[in-house]
Amino acid sequence: MTPQARYDAVVVGAGFAGLYMLHRLRGLGLSVRVFETGDGVGGTWYWNRYPGARCDVESMQYSYSFSPELEQEWEWTERYPSQPEILRYLEHVADRFDLRRDIRFGTRVTRAAYDETEHVWRVETDRGDRVAARHLVTAVGCLSAARVPDFPGAASFRGPSHHTGRWPHEGVDLTGLRVAVIGTGSSGIQSIPIIAEQAAHVTVFQRTPNYSVPAWNRPLEPEYQSWVKANYPGLRRAMRESHTGLLDPGNPGSALEAGDEERAREFEARWAKGGVTFLGAYGDIGISSEANEHAAEFVRAKIREIVADPEVAEKLSPRNHPLGTKRICVDTGYYATFNRPDVTLVDVREDPIVEITPTGVRTAAAEHPADVIVYATGYDAMTGPLLAIDITGKGGLSLRRKWEAGPRTYLGLMTAGFPNLFTVTGPGSPSVLSNMIVSIEQHVEWIADCVARLRAGGVAAIDADPLAEDAWMAHVNEIAGQTLFVRADSWYLGANIPGKPRVFMPYVGGVGVYREKCDQVAAAGYEGFVLSS
Ligand code: NA7
């Protein structure tokens, strides 16, 4: 048996979360090993290279705040950052803070087992690594377990098939080809207009129409960039204290109290501004069906205005879920793409996909020839990447078993029975309902402070108290139940994965409130956690 390498901490993943976690733990003087499946840094932004991949948070807000020098020196070029630009930024961060030397690339963590005698995690990888570490931090991302539905005949397809989140690095030349795109979430909505420009014909297979707001992406004005840089400390503070981690705080007023004209003005102004802050038009859009319907109908009216064929416009109009209860999309020319003669929309609720054939996609009503299939079919969100690792805690309890009926955590940071295992942006924290970078930095800093204090106090292990976990889960569920979120079959609820328990996973209370709660817990000597020497 080879002797096990020992580290103070093992971090899984080298995206935004893993890179910063490494930097912070190293700053404490810890020895750290990071394992990363990809051959480079970037996480989500390493894998998602589909045409048009772009963040829906503005560049000036989608960046680390921990280093004022980094903040000042990096120049973003567009209002919304494209995937290549975000990847360049993260590569720059990795170089600037000399992070690569502690990262083992091309290596997937397969197993992690807690050793109760020595209070260490024993971690194994698909490359044969066997290492031990006091602390294990998962920084695996919320949307990294790509999912391709199990269509009969998929393997018989003669052309290439690509999932948007596993797009070939060398790109895919779609010029003159017939392309089938399955899925109309953010990835489908971003890529379809660009694919349509290249392909001979695009057939879009839509199961659920989504609400999409224009991005109005444009080159970033140098004056705006300078202004933000000059005001970063205050702006970052406002983001941390906000509900969503974004600069636009939203209008707290009620859509129901506003008159028709005033509402129309507000929605028009938000549409003209573009982006996800459309949801912030009124404070009750997320909780009142009636208020929500005003916003939803505004978007449907826009679709009817843009799309020439009324039947196609109707098919594209979401009617089975309130606006914002599935992740709102941000697009460039999505709806107008359906005015092209070489783009066809197939509603698979009316005309379901029966099988993939060697030459295309067969629905109940027709055969749709295709040379390439693009699966924009999403992810096993939030729990998928964690449960892909065989994790066992105290008494041999497996995480898969513990989370059989849905994830259970205390603050989304730890799960009882798995001491010294921290989950960055885990289920039960704001994560995907917020600007991820704000939530990632908050978790990383909380975890690093916790580890430092445990080490200083000679504490060997920290674990969530099951009662605190129960109370937190009850709170997470209770406040989700007060919103419209629970009305949609979304990946927030695991509804996109057959057989996945229907549990609302992220915390809807807002990043500011949540941060305060986490800080109070730490200040009270890690209330709700059990510490053992
Ligand atoms: P999403 O948002 O989960 O979208 C996946 C899409 O694929 C969605 O339209 C699904 O329809 C559709 N889908 C999934 N399975 C099927 C089957 N079996 N048949 C037909 N259509 C299917 O993933 P994205 O990659 O677009 O975006 C992920 C996140 O990345 C996004 O929210 C942003 O946060 C960034 P459904 O709606 O489930 O009916």
Side-chain angles (χ1 to χ4, degrees):
M1 235 171 86
T2 45
Q4 274 195 333
R6 271 196 181 247
Y7 299 94
D8 294 318
V10 160
V11 175
V12 191
F16 266 99
L19 291 177
Y20 184 35
M21 196 73 245
L22 167 60
H23 179 63
R24 279 308 271 240
L25 292 175
R26 213 197 245 170
L28 296 172
L30 268 64
S31 61
V32 187
R33 166 55 81 210
V34 180
F35 291 111
E36 164 56 56
T37 308
D39 288 326
V41 299
T44 290
W45 302 107
Y46 172 87
W47 296 105
N48 276 272
R49 301 181 191 230
Y50 61 84
R54 192 179 288 284
C55 188
D56 57 7
V57 173
E58 294 191 25
S59 298
M60 296 308 289
Q61 301 174 48
Y62 196 76
S63 56
Y64 291 120
S65 70
F66 70 83
S67 161
E69 297 77 24
L70 171 66
E71 220 171 44
Q72 294 299 321
E73 77 201 7
W74 184 262
E75 298 277 321
W76 294 103
T77 65
E78 294 178 90
R79 178 182 184 190
Y80 291 99
S82 66
Q83 174 273 331
E85 189 163 24
I86 303 172
L87 189 57
R88 273 200 300 282
Y89 171 75
L90 287 170
E91 284 170 347
H92 169 74
V93 169
D95 291 335
R96 194 188 193 289
F97 298 98
D98 187 23
L99 299 175
R100 292 178 207 269
R101 64 184 156 89
D102 288 327
I103 307 172
R104 202 160 146 77
F105 292 105
T107 308
R108 178 183 288 278
V109 170
T110 51
R111 236 185 135 239
Y114 187 64
D115 176 336
E116 289 176 60
T117 336
E118 293 196 39
H119 301 297
V120 293
W121 280 93
R122 302 204 179 275
V123 177
E124 299 178 13
T125 74
D126 63 352
R127 297 264 298 260
D129 303 270
R130 302 278 179 277
V131 307
R134 171 60 45 96
H135 298 285
L136 176 61
V137 184
T138 61
V140 290
C142 294
L143 295 160
S144 52
R147 183 180 163 270
V148 175
D150 200 7
F151 293 118
S156 72
F157 184 63
R158 279 199 215 116
S161 313
H162 303 291
H163 186 280
T164 48
R166 293 288 176 272
W167 202 256
H169 290 195
E170 62 282 10
V172 182
D173 185 5
L174 298 169
T175 317
L177 300 178
R178 294 163 307 173
V179 183
V181 182
I182 305 177
T184 52
S186 290
S187 305
I189 283 179
Q190 285 188 337
S191 59
I192 287 162
I194 297 177
I195 293 174
E197 279 168 20
Q198 303 166 5
H201 189 94
V202 183
T203 312
V204 176
F205 296 86
Q206 168 191 274
R207 186 165 71 181
T208 309
N210 263 311
Y211 298 91
S212 189
V213 176
W216 309 123
N217 187 42
R218 56 176 180 265
L220 201 57
E221 299 83 355
E223 307 75 41
Y224 176 69
Q225 178 141 213
S226 309
W227 178 83
V228 173
K229 285 185 176 183
N231 292 286
Y232 252 144
L235 296 174
R236 297 285 201 191
R237 197 175 328 113
M239 286 160 70
R240 287 183 202 116
E241 288 168 5
S242 72
H243 190 77
T244 55
L246 297 171
L247 272 181
D248 188 319
N251 168 13
S254 162
L256 301 177
E257 281 163 23
D260 287 347
E261 256 177 55
E262 186 191 329
R263 254 194 322 260
R265 240 193 341 266
E266 178 68 24
F267 290 143
E268 281 295 351
R270 297 241 165 205
W271 185 269
K273 183 173 174 243
V276 294
T277 56
F278 183 82
L279 287 172
Y282 291 99
D284 48 4
I285 286 180
I287 46 178
S288 149
S289 309
E290 216 185 316
N292 191 287
E293 184 52 25
H294 285 296
E297 188 43 37
F298 176 86
V299 175
R300 289 184 212 118
K302 285 288 180 195
I303 299 172
R304 291 192 290 272
E305 212 175 285
I306 300 167
V307 179
D309 180 334
E311 259 181 54
V312 176
E314 183 50 32
K315 274 189 195 168
L316 287 166
S317 298
R319 296 204 183 265
N320 76 346
H321 65 284
L323 175 125
T325 54
K326 278 163 105 80
R327 173 90 170 206
I328 196 164
C329 299
V330 179
D331 72 279
T332 298
Y334 176 65
Y335 294 122
T337 298
F338 292 91
N339 291 333
R340 296 177 67 117
D342 50 6
V343 174
T344 312
L345 180 65
V346 178
D347 177 345
V348 305
R349 281 188 205 263
E350 246 173 40
D351 180 16
I353 296 175
V354 175
E355 62 170 345
I356 308 284
T357 68
T359 53
V361 179
R362 198 163 68 78
T363 58
E367 174 96 34
H368 302 273
D371 304 305
V372 181
I373 299 178
V374 175
Y375 289 100
T377 45
Y379 297 86
D380 183 353
M382 303 196 76
T383 51
L386 288 165
L387 297 180
I389 308 170
D390 176 15
I391 300 177
T392 50
K394 276 162 73 175
L397 174 65
S398 93
L399 188 63
R400 288 175 191 151
R401 184 82 195 275
K402 180 179 171 185
W403 286 7
E404 238 164 25
R408 299 192 65 74
T409 69
Y410 179 37
L411 300 171
L413 278 161
M414 296 196 91
T415 183
F418 297 77
N420 295 350
L421 167 67
F422 297 96
T423 49
V424 180
T425 63
S429 74
S431 63
V432 291
L433 295 182
S434 69
N435 176 349
M436 283 301 284
I437 314 308
V438 173
S439 289
I440 284 171
E441 284 195 323
Q442 185 248 333
H443 265 192
V444 165
E445 287 161 15
W446 191 96
I447 293 165
D449 288 350
C450 175
V451 168
R453 281 173 62 186
L454 299 181
R455 285 167 67 86
V459 176
I462 180 168
D463 194 2
D465 179 337
L467 293 177
E469 183 168 291
D470 289 348
W472 182 251
M473 285 293 99
H475 173 59
V476 169
N477 285 324
E478 190 196 331
I479 56 170
Q482 293 163 3
T483 70
L484 299 176
F485 273 116
V486 289
R487 304 258 188 100
D489 288 333
S490 70
W491 54 256
Y492 298 131
L493 275 150
N496 62 327
I497 306 290
K500 192 167 170 171
R502 196 179 169 95
V503 171
F504 192 79
M505 295 182 284
Y507 175 64
V508 294
V511 300
V513 171
Y514 172 79
R515 171 186 297 267
E516 237 175 77
K517 168 77 183 163
C518 292
D519 289 350
Q520 279 164 8
V521 163
Y526 297 101
E527 194 176 26
F529 289 98
V530 184
L531 312 187
S532 41
S533 304

